[in-house]
Amino acid sequence: MPKQPFSNEQTYFALQEVERTHLASQENQSLKLEEERAREKALHFMKCPKCGQPLEETPIGAVRVDQCRACAGIWLEKGELEAIQKEEGGFVAKLFDVFHK
Ligand SMILES: [Zn+2]
């Protein structure tokens, strides 16, 4: 009977080491991804996605939207269009319908 190159015990510990290395690599990748997201958020927070200049909160009725100081673009967060729609009706309601068809 041919001799096994590795004992069952050696194989077991080798597989344990592979699994431990794989898990450490996954944790390291998750940490890097989290750091990248935090860095991107810090870099772009309250900056215009079109021209990169600072945004400032501007009231439209009772809703405070983000408006660019440079290009005057207006950026809405989740729920703000619906809030303006409820308040304004008319044109905004029709615009909202177009996006939800
Ligand atoms: Zn802008």
Side-chain angles (χ1 to χ4, degrees):
M1 185 168 178
K3 190 178 176 189
Q4 285 187 319
F6 300 105
S7 70
N8 284 343
E9 188 175 317
Q10 286 173 318
T11 302
Y12 173 80
F13 286 116
L15 289 173
Q16 288 284 314
E17 180 61 18
V18 167
E19 188 176 335
R20 192 191 61 73
T21 304
H22 180 68
L23 289 174
S25 173
Q26 281 184 326
E27 285 175 20
N28 192 27
Q29 282 184 337
S30 291
L31 191 62
K32 281 183 180 173
L33 194 61
E34 205 171 292
E35 287 170 356
E36 178 68 12
R37 284 185 183 142
R39 195 179 65 76
E40 288 291 325
K41 185 175 180 178
L43 194 62
H44 299 287
F45 186 72
M46 288 302 282
K47 298 281 170 69
C48 177
K50 197 170 182 181
C51 72
Q53 296 303 302
L55 298 173
E56 62 186 8
E57 288 193 337
T58 305
I60 293 182
V63 180
R64 296 187 66 81
V65 299
D66 300 329
Q67 184 168 28
C68 178
R69 293 179 195 166
C71 72
I74 293 175
W75 309 103
L76 303 173
E77 292 171 19
K78 185 177 181 180
E80 288 180 338
L81 183 59
E82 291 87 344
I84 293 169
Q85 176 199 14
K86 282 180 188 167
E87 210 173 280
E88 300 276 332
F91 171 76
V92 177
K94 288 175 187 163
L95 184 67
F96 187 71
D97 285 343
V98 168
F99 286 118
H100 283 87
K101 282 184 179 174

